Amino acid sequence: GAVVSQHPSWVICKSGTSVKIECRSLDFQATTMFWYRQFPKQSLMLMATSNEGSKATYEQGVEKDKFLINHASLTLSTLTVTSAHPEDSSFYICSASETRDQETQYFGPGTRLLVL
Amino acid sequence: KNQVEQSPQSLIILEGKNCTLQCNYTVSPFSNLRWYKQDTGRGPVSLTIMTFSENTKSNGRYTATLDADTKQSSLHITASQLSDSASYICVVSALLLFSGGYNKLIFGAGTRLAVHP
């Protein structure tokens, strides 16, 4: 149980385009979903926390207009990187929790984004 | 400031050997400590989770220890295998009392382990 999937697993796009990444909880209802970014050889950095049906809470330094998060249902959250630039190239990982905090969260497999 | 520091940054060992990874933290108030294994290009997978009162916890060839007094933890890997090659991340959960009792995870930078044949 407690499986979280992400789609796509990797994406290459041109600079200036927008990219959408989906995060799904397959066998449980995710009250909260978290989005992380991980640069090479660095640890996960929390970008934002989203609760179903409400606006996402962004961490300090994360541009909410650039990283649009939608949590439309209890099993799906999406992260859209708008007007992507090469510096946005990173590994994006989502996690899902049945509760409102990070205590019990299950990580997705991640999405590798490369912006040319 | 809540911080989690791991050492070494990277480690190379031969298959079959044992190794120990270290984690020091300055997180307060402490809720629990977890060790995750992250294969390259994959999301983290939980290995162990320990609360304040637990000193050691095992998961197969992985044994984690916790000294809440010195705020140190270690992850010992026994009889390493090639598949153990991964990043191992120490994560400490802080109880954020002002946010209604919710927890926040503080991530270490990880130790990159390479097991060579």
Side-chain angles (χ1 to χ4, degrees):
Chain A
V3 178
V4 176
S5 69
Q6 281 185 241
H7 178 78
S9 56
W10 60 270
V11 57
I12 302 174
C13 69
K14 293 182 179 180
S15 183
T17 60
S18 294
V19 176
K20 179 184 285 187
I21 302 171
E22 292 186 348
C23 177
R24 293 181 184 273
S25 58
L26 300 184
D27 51 3
F28 67 100
Q29 293 188 325
T31 301
T32 310
M33 286 187 171
F34 305 91
W35 286 95
Y36 297 84
R37 180 167 51 182
Q38 185 178 33
F39 292 108
K41 298 185 179 181
Q42 295 185 26
S43 193
L44 284 72
M45 295 295 295
L46 180 65
M47 298 174 65
T49 301
S50 72
N51 296 107
E52 184 264 340
S54 61
K55 291 183 178 180
T57 301
Y58 291 81
E59 295 297 303
Q60 191 173 10
V62 178
E63 300 176 56
K64 62 180 180 180
D65 294 330
K66 180 168 185 62
F67 299 99
L68 301 179
I69 292 173
N70 183 277
H71 193 164
S73 75
L74 286 173
T75 59
L76 173 64
S77 176
T78 60
L79 167 67
T80 301
V81 183
T82 62
S83 186
H85 291 286
E87 58 265 30
D88 297 323
S89 298
S90 187
F91 192 53
Y92 292 87
I93 302 174
C94 76
S95 69
S97 172
E98 294 175 283
T99 62
R100 292 182 64 85
D101 64 14
Q102 295 182 280
E103 187 60 20
T104 305
Q105 59 179 298
Y106 304 96
F107 289 91
T111 296
R112 176 79 58 190
L113 171 63
L114 176 60
V115 184
L116 301 178
Chain B
K1 181 180 179 182
N2 289 330
Q3 283 186 319
V4 176
E5 296 183 352
Q6 293 187 244
S7 63
Q9 283 189 328
S10 61
L11 180 64
I12 300 174
I13 62 173
L14 294 177
E15 186 179 11
K17 299 296 184 181
N18 304 336
C19 67
T20 301
L21 314 180
Q22 300 291 342
C23 173
N24 296 338
Y25 61 93
T26 56
V27 176
S28 181
F30 174 89
S31 179
N32 58 67
L33 184 146
R34 309 123 183 263
W35 283 93
Y36 286 89
K37 178 186 178 186
Q38 184 180 21
D39 293 312
T40 302
R42 306 294 293 175
V45 175
S46 179
L47 294 176
T48 63
I49 177 171
M50 290 182 291
T51 59
F52 184 87
S53 60
E54 295 177 294
N55 298 120
T56 183
K57 181 162 283 188
S58 293
N59 179 358
R61 294 179 296 103
Y62 301 102
T63 299
T65 65
L66 173 64
D67 186 333
D69 292 331
T70 62
K71 298 187 177 182
Q72 296 179 327
S73 176
S74 67
L75 179 69
H76 186 74
I77 303 175
T78 304
S80 61
Q81 301 176 356
L82 298 179
S83 59
D84 292 332
S85 296
S87 286
Y88 291 85
I89 305 172
C90 175
V91 183
V92 181
S93 177
L95 181 61
L96 302 182
L97 299 175
F98 58 83
S99 63
Y102 298 144
N103 286 38
K104 184 178 179 66
L105 300 187
I106 310 326
F107 288 80
T111 292
R112 295 172 64 85
L113 174 66
V115 180
H116 289 182

